[in-house]
Amino acid sequence: MKTLLKGGRLINPNTQTDAVMDILIEDDVIRAIEPNISIQDATTVIQLTPEHWVTPGLVDLHVHFRDPGQSAKETTGTGSKAAAAGGYTSVCVMPNTQPVIDNLQTLDYVNNVIQNDAVINVYPSAAVTKGQIGEELTEMISLVKRGVVAFTDDGHCVMNANIMQLALRYAAMVEVPIICHAEDTHLSAKGCMNEGYHATLLGLPGIPNTAESVIVARDIELARFTGGRVHFAHISTRESVDLIRRAKADGLQITAEVTPHHLVYTDAALSGYDTDFKMHPPLRAEVDRQALINGLLDGTIDAIASDHAPHTPDEKTLTMDHAPNGTIGLETSLGVILTHFYQNQLLRPIEIIQRMSTQPAQCFNLPAGELAVGMPADIAVIDPNLCWTVDPKRFESKSRNSCFKGNNLIGKAIATFVAGQNVYADPTFEALKQTQLMAV
Ligand SMILES: [Zn+2]
């Protein structure tokens, strides 16, 4: 089986390639990347135009597939299909499942489900502490040997600095990062949105910026002290961006991600009491949003991650103070970033693919994020000018809690290949395939 993607604009940050180029997929690997590959060499030819981007499959470091335990919200099957529809070929799943991924038996279950049900590459993370209650470390070394790529108590912060320090030392031995969900729970307390003008106006308890930044500052110092690697999840405040920028200048092994929703919304979005805008960390003020954008542009922030957090409609119809946190994002992240950063000319195409594929892969040492002969054919085909409206009813995800519902976006993945398998194709891509087959 040989598939030829012909005439597209190939964007590969690792080689700094941004040029019209053909790419030949044979079975599960990339066989050739050349300016003009003969259609004789292929069984299927897809005739693209220079308007189409052919890129390494996108990589999302932060998704919740709710498996095991909450299959009404999402499963590995539905979550991975949603990822494929968003152009993703590799994701890292968070361990705050029921039960928590904090031991080898649960990890074995997860690995088994991934092998059977996932249509893309799914990499498990595991908890830093047993039950994510912050007291006793998990068997970190054994978990890494069985495939864990990072540790995190995501959803909770490791509040005990000594536990965090020990975790960093163990993680350093096996060269994996600790993902920090930075939230001092004494400061965030019962807050359910950003502390400030809008919280006061709405009469809701607020979460101050310091709830995040004091933990970011603490974990930077622990990384400095232990030599460990810290990856900051979903950073949301201007203070966090400043701290991370300085830590990187000091040469520390620090990486960070930001979500599309923190890049495009502020706490003003909660004015209609719509709980799809309730997340942890909360949407912040405009000055924070601008700092996140600057951090993304200047390289302080390495990766864009969706923090895809599915919840049932029943849960999300609770009042703002009781509804669970989070928005789904796998099927909208690329469109949101293309609309706000490509169409507005803030980032070049290669810089977008760097932040959504190449650099995320590097943060967790994943075998992804590049196009190279002999590597698994994990590829996204993107139409950066396709206009579409976000309709959660049409999502592959089981859940509908998208804060981007109703948005008019420009740009979308139209096909996704994982190890040479065409796991997602939008109708416009199918049309390209058929035309060329008839012509041949
Ligand atoms: Zn989190």
Side-chain angles (χ1 to χ4, degrees):
M1 181 70 184
K2 289 184 183 177
T3 304
L4 180 59
L5 299 172
K6 197 162 183 53
R9 176 176 176 180
L10 189 119
I11 296 168
N12 187 30
N14 264 1
T15 54
Q16 285 296 306
T17 308
D18 182 351
V20 174
M21 200 79 81
D22 297 349
I23 181 161
L24 182 66
I25 304 166
E26 183 174 0
D27 301 325
D28 55 344
V29 300
I30 296 171
R31 184 55 65 208
I33 303 173
E34 285 163 31
N36 208 342
I37 300 173
S38 161
I39 58 171
Q40 255 55 53
D41 292 337
T43 34
T44 307
V45 177
I46 293 125
Q47 185 64 55
L48 303 170
T49 73
E51 304 295 309
H52 295 113
W53 301 355
V54 179
T55 76
L58 305 183
V59 178
D60 194 332
L61 298 179
H62 197 129
V63 306
H64 299 269
F65 282 176
R66 310 298 188 203
D67 200 355
Q70 295 179 302
S71 57
K73 299 181 186 214
E74 197 76 284
T75 65
T76 301
T78 57
S80 68
K81 281 194 187 116
Y88 290 93
T89 57
S90 296
V91 300
C92 176
V93 284
M94 295 295 109
N96 60 337
T97 48
Q98 293 175 358
V100 170
I101 307 173
D102 63 359
N103 63 76
L104 291 172
Q105 289 72 29
T106 309
L107 177 63
D108 284 347
Y109 164 86
V110 170
N111 280 333
N112 197 33
V113 172
I114 289 169
Q115 191 152 24
N116 290 324
D117 297 347
V119 302
I120 64 158
N121 305 304
V122 177
Y123 295 96
S125 62
V128 176
T129 65
K130 290 181 183 165
Q132 295 190 311
I133 52 177
E135 290 171 0
E136 193 185 346
L137 290 181
T138 55
E139 309 278 343
M140 296 172 70
I141 310 280
S142 322
L143 289 160
V144 167
K145 285 185 182 151
R146 214 76 75 86
V148 161
V149 297
F151 290 94
T152 181
D153 277 359
D154 184 53
H156 308 273
C157 186
V158 179
M159 284 300 294
N160 182 325
N162 188 41
I163 298 273
M164 187 61 167
Q165 173 179 262
L166 283 171
L168 278 164
R169 288 194 193 284
Y170 277 105
M173 286 194 262
V174 279
E175 295 179 352
V176 299
I178 304 278
I179 307 168
C180 171
H181 168 111
E183 178 192 353
D184 185 306
T185 48
H186 304 292
L187 288 170
S188 61
K190 290 192 165 37
C192 67
M193 67 176 288
N194 182 46
E195 184 174 278
Y197 173 81
H198 291 281
T200 308
L201 203 65
L202 298 174
L204 292 169
I207 301 172
N209 281 22
T210 47
E212 178 174 299
S213 56
V214 297
I215 299 293
V216 171
R218 182 199 77 177
D219 286 357
I220 285 171
E221 288 315 303
L222 293 177
R224 195 190 308 274
F225 185 59
T226 60
R229 274 165 63 191
V230 178
H231 175 79
F232 289 105
H234 46 51
I235 59 164
S236 70
T237 73
R238 57 191 183 277
E239 293 86 358
S240 301
V241 176
D242 285 342
L243 288 162
I244 292 164
R245 187 178 286 119
R246 275 184 272 150
K248 285 190 160 188
D250 288 350
L252 300 184
Q253 297 194 77
I254 302 288
T255 54
E257 72 190 30
V258 65
T259 70
H261 44 273
H262 288 106
L263 288 168
V264 305
Y265 288 124
T266 67
D267 55 355
L270 282 92
S271 60
Y273 290 98
D274 181 346
T275 57
D276 286 344
F277 292 97
K278 183 191 178 189
M279 50 276 280
H280 256 179
L283 298 170
R284 299 287 188 183
E286 178 62 16
V287 55
D288 295 297
R289 189 179 81 88
Q290 289 301 333
L292 294 172
I293 291 171
N294 289 335
L296 184 69
L297 299 186
D298 75 11
T300 301
I301 299 171
D302 302 84
I304 295 164
S306 69
D307 193 4
H308 180 82
H311 293 292
T312 62
D314 283 356
E315 294 168 301
K316 274 293 191 182
T317 48
L318 293 171
T319 52
M320 194 63 87
D321 48 342
H322 288 102
N325 291 299
T327 176
I328 52 175
L330 279 167
E331 291 168 80
T332 49
S333 287
L334 177 64
V336 169
I337 296 302
L338 290 173
T339 304
H340 291 270
F341 288 86
Y342 172 64
Q343 299 292 338
N344 289 348
Q345 301 186 339
L346 290 173
L347 287 171
R348 290 179 292 128
I350 201 164
E351 294 171 326
I352 289 174
I353 302 308
Q354 244 164 359
R355 287 155 177 77
M356 297 192 77
S357 176
T358 311
Q359 287 174 180
Q362 288 162 352
C363 288
F364 290 5
N365 290 333
L366 305 179
E370 64 171 322
L371 298 172
V373 173
M375 274 195 60
D378 293 351
I379 299 169
V381 182
I382 296 166
D383 181 344
N385 299 309
L386 188 77
C387 298
W388 60 293
T389 303
V390 178
D391 177 3
K393 287 199 292 294
R394 302 181 64 177
F395 281 158
E396 298 285 346
S397 170
K398 259 194 180 182
S399 286
R400 302 288 175 258
N401 57 303
S402 168
C403 68
F404 298 104
K405 63 198 164 195
N407 278 22
N408 295 314
L409 300 180
I410 310 171
K412 191 177 180 303
I414 59 167
T416 308
F417 291 83
V418 176
Q421 295 287 319
N422 188 191
V423 294
Y424 170 74
D426 137 316
T428 63
F429 184 80
E430 287 295 351
L432 296 168
K433 201 191 273 182
Q434 287 155 11
T435 324
Q436 183 58 31
L437 272 177
M438 281 188 293
V440 171

